[in-house]
Amino acid sequence: MLMIHNRHLAIILIPLTLALAACGNANAPDPARTLQIGNFAEPGTLDPNKLDGAWEGRIADGLFMGLTTNLANGDIAPGMATSWTTSPDGLTWTFKLRDAQWSDGTPVSAADFVSGMQRLMTSVPASSSVSVYFFVENAEAVRSGKMPANALGVRALDPKTVEFKLNRPAPYLPRLLTWANAAPVPRHIIASYGEAWIKPEHMVGNGPYLLKEWKAGDFVHLVKNPKFYDAASVCLNDLYFYPTKDVIAAERAVRSGKLDINFDFSGSRLAEINKNMPGYAHVTQGQRTSYINFNMRRPEFKDLRVRQALSMAVDRDFIALQVLADGSEPAYSIVPKGIKSYAGGTVTLASKGQSQDVRVAKAKALLEAAGYGPNKPLVLTFAHRNSGEVPKIAPVLQANWQSIAPWVKITLQGNDNAIHYASLQRGDYQFADASWGTITSDAIEHLEIIRTGGGSNDGAFSDPVYDKLLDRAARTADIKQREKAFLEAEARALDQLGITPVIFDSMRQLVNPRVTGYQVNGTGDNPFRLMCTKEAQAAK
């Protein structure tokens, strides 16, 4: 409770302190050009090649700009690249760079992008997103250590030209390159400071903002980068990001004006928020799946019947429609709806449409067939995040599983996001909650979660049949045949249950109407460089 209370104070008091300072200090941030942002969780890192979470990506998006970038409506646009071309077979992409500088005045070059991609493939620990890039020539071999970093199919043809060689078509590459993982890195700074290059006193970036201060567990402060190539169009001078896992406290902070934006709120509060804070709440269906990750290293989960039983017992409809009631949908498939060129929801878990009583009875029969019962109870610990709405969902899941039989005993273990995902990457868990939001807006990204050897395959699931289906789909250029092949792969994934889906998350934000340039979109990309405030615009 003490830790939560301290976080609560960080949310409520720090913005007030800053606002008061601005009134009496000529060097303090201008409130009209400052945003106070509730950012869900404490970042584990701001190293673009290592980060994982959307809460880290929001900050890194201000510090670094990739070859492409996001617009407020979720579309992509040229970033550091002014243009790009693709070979007829879709296997060679060539990007032409604009004139741009790092924040210390050093020119941004093609070699910086090459270095960034090589670091992404060789960093330890790795970003869980690393496998998403395995379509790049030799990427998987570089990641596994079978080939050197310079064998990666990303090359600098000259200081202003970056070439990507692929081992299969990836029509979504421009969207993927908007994500901070694919950002360039300042080679000269890393050479001087090593892993300490991300400290505020050392870091340089090529994005619209600079890292001014990072007080762990408290806030991250970014300031406008005067060297950014389009600095004249950036309205906001200061951004403050706070970890806000207590959504009720964050809602109060937004209502009182101490926070301008919070990237979550309790869905059960929507009607009350619309009544008391009209124009603040924004809800849309996102491209994110929350799921249960089974650790296949453990003997219990090597038995498909155990995975099937635990999947069957989950009351997805109750969780989505009654516990959350926030626009989330029950997930009976892995790929969420709204993914372009894919009929999401066409293939589903076999238990869809069955009553909860029927599913629980089948779950009990499966566990008994697997040898469990009064003399051999199934005793497990379910690890989950202590953020957002997950603490509401975890006890419901526990009750679902324990309703199978008295000899099913499930203990809950909650942790902060960074600790939770670090445990998953180490394989230090039994089974756990996790979620995956799209970077590419392509079905393959969600299905890669359980590909053998994939960087996001924390459960170490492996099914050669599934891998072959996924590879065939990935190598298919024809859009209709590609979709058909992915559907076949997803059907196999739902049959083998390396993971089991729970809900398709809604995206919920609270945004003070004083903020301009913000748009709701299905990808969740909200670039701060395009935002402003009504006060700042009125002062022009």
Side-chain angles (χ1 to χ4, degrees):
M1 292 300 294
L2 182 61
M3 182 181 295
I4 294 174
H5 183 62
N6 285 342
R7 289 286 180 88
H8 195 152
L9 286 174
I11 295 169
I12 300 300
L13 297 181
I14 290 175
L16 179 60
T17 303
L18 292 170
L20 291 173
C23 296
N25 184 347
N27 296 319
D30 176 1
R33 295 185 181 273
T34 300
L35 288 188
Q36 312 286 352
I37 302 155
N39 194 36
F40 186 65
E42 171 73 10
T45 181
L46 293 179
D47 187 323
N49 303 139
K50 297 182 180 182
L51 57 79
D52 285 310
W55 59 97
E56 296 165 333
R58 290 187 197 107
I59 302 174
D61 186 60
L63 299 171
F64 304 95
M65 178 169 282
L67 292 165
T68 55
T69 189
N70 296 301
L71 297 178
N73 64 1
D75 289 345
I76 61 170
M80 286 290 104
T82 57
S83 63
W84 53 90
T85 57
T86 314
S87 63
D89 62 5
L91 298 181
T92 302
W93 292 68
T94 306
F95 295 83
K96 292 293 184 180
L97 301 185
R98 69 174 75 250
D99 291 331
Q101 296 179 339
W102 292 102
S103 53
D104 64 355
T106 303
V108 176
S109 74
D112 297 326
F113 285 91
V114 175
S115 181
M117 290 301 298
Q118 290 179 355
R119 285 185 83 246
L120 175 63
M121 290 300 139
T122 57
S123 290
V124 178
S127 166
S128 63
S129 301
V130 67
S131 64
V132 177
Y133 300 84
F134 280 177
F135 60 82
V136 177
E137 185 179 75
N138 298 329
E140 193 166 4
V142 171
R143 178 64 207 156
S144 66
K146 295 178 181 178
M147 297 183 75
N150 61 11
L152 185 68
V154 183
R155 301 176 180 86
L157 301 185
D158 60 52
K160 294 292 185 182
T161 309
V162 182
E163 179 189 77
F164 279 72
K165 287 282 190 180
L166 313 184
N167 54 37
R168 59 172 172 77
Y172 50 85
L173 178 61
R175 174 165 292 282
L176 182 58
L177 294 179
T178 67
W179 182 239
N181 284 151
V185 293
R187 294 169 295 137
H188 59 298
I189 297 297
I190 295 174
S192 296
Y193 299 106
E195 294 302 306
W197 79 276
I198 62 171
K199 292 183 177 181
E201 61 267 30
H202 303 319
M203 181 186 280
V204 302
N206 70 321
Y209 293 96
L210 304 173
L211 180 60
K212 176 70 172 179
E213 191 174 10
W214 180 3
K215 290 192 174 181
D218 207 346
F219 67 88
V220 176
H221 178 198
L222 307 188
V223 296
K224 185 175 176 179
N225 175 12
K227 298 288 188 180
F228 180 56
Y229 81 91
D230 195 26
S233 299
V234 178
C235 169
L236 298 170
N237 293 336
D238 293 86
L239 305 176
Y240 290 86
F241 296 85
Y242 305 91
T244 51
K245 82 177 174 184
D246 186 337
V247 292
I248 302 301
E251 177 192 324
R252 295 192 190 107
V254 174
R255 186 176 181 181
S256 67
K258 296 180 176 69
L259 288 177
D260 296 296
I261 298 174
N262 193 64
F263 282 99
D264 198 11
F265 65 84
S266 175
S268 62
R269 296 276 304 157
L270 181 58
E272 190 71 16
I273 291 170
N274 283 336
K275 177 182 176 182
N276 295 322
M277 303 163 61
Y280 278 71
H282 301 272
V283 180
T284 188
Q285 188 64 50
Q287 296 176 3
R288 175 174 292 275
T289 306
S290 286
Y291 58 92
I292 294 162
N293 204 330
F294 301 111
N295 190 344
M296 299 296 293
R297 305 169 188 85
R298 296 190 57 84
E300 303 96 332
F301 298 120
K302 291 182 183 297
D303 192 325
L304 175 59
R305 294 168 296 187
V306 174
R307 307 197 300 273
Q308 289 174 328
L310 294 174
S311 176
M312 279 185 177
V314 174
D315 194 343
R316 295 165 175 82
D317 292 75
F318 178 73
I319 290 171
L321 305 178
Q322 297 187 47
V323 175
L324 298 180
D326 61 356
S328 298
E329 294 184 5
Y332 290 91
S333 54
I334 295 172
V335 182
K337 298 175 182 177
I339 299 292
K340 295 179 180 179
S341 302
Y342 190 73
T346 302
V347 294
T348 65
L349 291 168
S351 58
K352 183 180 182 182
Q354 298 174 355
S355 71
Q356 182 67 5
D357 288 343
V358 168
R359 292 201 304 270
V360 168
K362 288 185 176 181
K364 182 180 180 183
L366 282 165
L367 289 180
E368 289 174 338
Y372 294 95
N375 296 324
K376 185 185 177 183
L378 182 64
V379 181
L380 296 169
T381 296
F382 179 68
H384 66 87
R385 295 163 289 164
N386 271 340
S387 54
E389 301 288 77
V390 180
K392 287 184 179 179
I393 298 172
V396 179
L397 291 170
Q398 181 188 39
N400 288 162
W401 293 321
Q402 295 191 152
S403 72
I404 297 173
W407 36 265
V408 177
K409 304 292 185 182
I410 307 297
T411 300
L412 300 181
Q413 182 183 62
N415 269 313
D416 286 345
N417 274 42
I419 297 172
H420 176 79
Y421 279 113
S423 296
L424 264 62
Q425 285 191 313
R426 293 194 308 270
D428 184 19
Y429 71 103
Q430 295 183 357
F431 70 140
D433 109 274
S435 69
W436 189 272
T438 186
I439 303 171
T440 64
S441 292
D442 193 270
I444 192 172
E445 186 179 351
H446 295 271
L447 298 177
E448 284 272 0
I449 292 171
I450 54 172
R451 180 180 178 275
T452 300
S456 52
N457 186 359
D458 296 321
F461 174 79
S462 181
D463 176 24
V465 175
Y466 176 73
D467 293 341
K468 288 180 181 179
L469 289 170
L470 191 59
D471 287 344
R472 187 185 73 184
R475 295 180 184 280
T476 302
D478 181 84
I479 293 177
K480 290 185 178 180
Q481 291 301 314
R482 187 175 188 267
E483 178 188 39
K484 182 179 178 181
F486 275 132
L487 286 168
E488 190 175 353
E490 185 176 12
R492 176 71 181 183
L494 293 169
D495 181 63
Q496 294 299 302
L497 291 176
I499 60 173
T500 189
V502 178
I503 60 169
F504 295 134
D505 303 72
S506 65
M507 292 172 49
R508 303 175 302 278
Q509 297 96 24
L510 292 177
V511 183
N512 190 316
R514 74 183 280 263
V515 179
T516 62
Y518 169 89
Q519 291 186 43
V520 178
N521 63 71
T523 66
D525 298 316
N526 306 113
F528 294 102
R529 74 180 188 282
L530 302 178
M531 295 185 196
C532 195
T533 68
K534 291 180 179 178
E535 309 96 283
Q537 290 183 327
K540 289 182 179 180

